[in-house]
Amino acid sequence: METEGRYTLVGTLVLAVVVLLTLAIVWLAGAADQIAYQTYTIYFKQQSLDGLAVGSPVKMRGIKVGVVDSYRFAKGSDEAVSVTARISEGVPVHTGAEAYIKRNLVTGIAAIEINNGRSEEALLLEVPKGESYPVIAEGRSDIDKVATAVSRLAVNGAQVLEKMNTVLSEENQRAFSQTLANLNELSSHLAANKHSLETVVRGIRDASDEFRFAGASISQAATRAEGSIVSVGGNADAALKEAVVTMNKLQLDANLITERVQQLAETGTLELTNVSRDVRTSADALTTAGQHLSNPRAILFGPGQQQLGPGEKLP
């Protein structure tokens, strides 16, 4: 009886320990998922994910900083693959970070390499609308860049070859052959007429010397003409200055004459006024005298009784 009770107690204790361990493992796993990692989403559209699997490493500068948690085909018509990556919480991922597939050429195992943004950029924490986690943009690996450059080089090489084939066509080859033949014939004629060419070159040299001498003479004549023109210009300037002085004097004289004429006119007007007044006074005196002379009897015998004297009035 005591033995059975002991076994029951041991079994109960073992079962309780197993349950506690299970709960601890579950709790630790959940806490680790929530605390130790930060989750990001990456959409791969241009790169192949061959060799990438759940648990594949996520690296930054060659150092493993996380793992691939899951992947699936994204909704839409662009056939992109949505990869969920868990990155250690202490690793800063900046805005502008890019992710690309880095593959081992020997084993073919792929990993995700993150090219982090500039350190002065803000941390990538914003969750876009419709997403569960922040999104890291897809980048391009060095191999992709080399492949693109090689592809572009191949296209350019094909274009160059096509142009060379066009240049080296049969028609162009015949034209080149004709041109070479013409050049050969021209060189033969030049060699045959070497002495004539030397004579022509000598004549051209003599003509150039004559032109040079003529140019020197023209330059001297131009210098003399320039001196004459400068002298004439100086004389004209002096004459112009003298003419300006003369015109100023004439203007002053004209002003003086105008003032004198105005004064004479004013004086003549006054004198004419005085003369006209004297003439009027003289005319009045002559009229009075004429009236007196018109009656001689009054002059001889004096005024009559009917004639009033100076100051007299009729009663």
Side-chain angles (χ1 to χ4, degrees):
M1 202 62 192
E2 293 178 0
T3 303
E4 292 178 358
R6 191 179 300 113
Y7 289 155
T8 302
L9 180 60
V10 171
T12 302
L13 292 175
V14 170
L15 183 60
V17 170
V18 170
V19 171
L20 290 175
L21 287 175
T22 304
L23 293 175
I25 292 172
V26 171
W27 181 80
L28 290 174
D33 288 341
Q34 295 177 359
I35 298 175
Y37 293 97
Q38 49 188 353
T39 306
Y40 296 91
T41 301
I42 308 169
Y43 289 97
F44 290 100
K45 301 178 183 179
Q46 306 296 332
Q47 302 179 61
S48 173
L49 302 185
D50 186 19
L52 190 71
V54 175
S56 295
V58 177
K59 298 182 179 181
M60 185 179 294
R61 294 188 178 182
I63 301 173
K64 182 179 179 181
V65 294
V67 295
V68 175
D69 185 63
S70 63
Y71 56 86
R72 60 181 176 81
F73 284 99
K75 297 179 181 180
S77 59
D78 52 1
E79 295 184 356
V81 178
S82 174
V83 177
T84 303
R86 294 190 304 173
I87 300 176
S88 298
E89 189 177 18
V91 178
V93 179
H94 297 282
T95 303
E98 295 180 346
Y100 58 89
I101 300 298
K102 187 174 183 180
R103 190 172 290 104
N104 192 313
L105 299 178
V106 178
T107 61
I109 298 175
I112 295 179
E113 184 75 22
I114 295 178
N115 184 11
N116 207 356
R118 294 181 298 180
S119 59
E120 60 269 16
E121 296 288 345
L123 296 178
L124 183 60
L125 301 175
E126 183 179 357
V127 179
K129 184 178 180 180
E131 299 290 339
S132 301
Y133 309 106
V135 177
I136 300 176
E138 180 184 12
R140 297 177 60 190
S141 63
D142 295 337
I143 296 176
D144 292 336
K145 294 178 182 178
V146 172
T148 302
V150 171
S151 177
R152 188 180 298 110
L153 180 62
V155 172
N156 294 335
Q159 293 178 355
V160 171
L161 290 175
E162 184 178 356
K163 292 179 180 179
M164 290 181 63
N165 290 331
T166 303
V167 171
L168 298 177
S169 61
E170 294 181 359
E171 182 179 357
N172 291 336
Q173 289 180 6
R174 288 194 296 270
F176 289 152
S177 300
Q178 185 66 32
T179 302
L180 292 175
N182 293 334
L183 290 174
N184 190 14
E185 184 177 359
L186 178 61
S187 63
S188 300
H189 285 297
L190 291 176
N193 298 318
K194 180 179 179 181
H195 298 288
S196 300
L197 290 174
E198 290 179 353
T199 304
V200 172
V201 171
R202 191 178 300 108
I204 293 173
R205 187 182 299 111
D206 295 338
S208 65
D209 293 336
E210 292 179 0
F211 278 121
R212 186 168 59 254
F213 294 150
S217 300
I218 292 172
S219 178
Q220 293 176 358
T223 303
R224 295 194 191 96
E226 182 180 2
S228 300
I229 291 171
V230 172
S231 177
V232 171
N235 295 332
D237 190 11
L240 182 61
K241 290 180 179 179
E242 292 179 358
V244 170
V245 173
T246 304
M247 291 296 294
N248 292 331
K249 290 181 179 180
L250 288 175
Q251 186 175 2
L252 292 175
D253 294 339
N255 293 333
L256 292 175
I257 292 171
T258 302
E259 291 178 358
R260 296 289 178 84
V261 170
Q262 188 175 0
Q263 292 176 0
L264 289 175
E266 292 176 355
T267 305
T269 301
L270 294 175
E271 291 179 355
L272 287 175
T273 302
N274 295 329
V275 169
S276 63
R277 186 172 58 253
D278 295 339
V279 169
R280 188 180 301 109
T281 303
S282 299
D284 292 338
L286 288 175
T287 301
T288 304
Q291 290 177 355
H292 288 295
L293 290 175
S294 63
N295 190 2
R297 185 176 177 278
I299 296 174
L300 293 175
F301 298 103
Q305 296 179 357
Q306 300 294 328
Q307 189 177 359
L308 297 175
E312 296 180 348
K313 295 182 180 180
L314 292 174

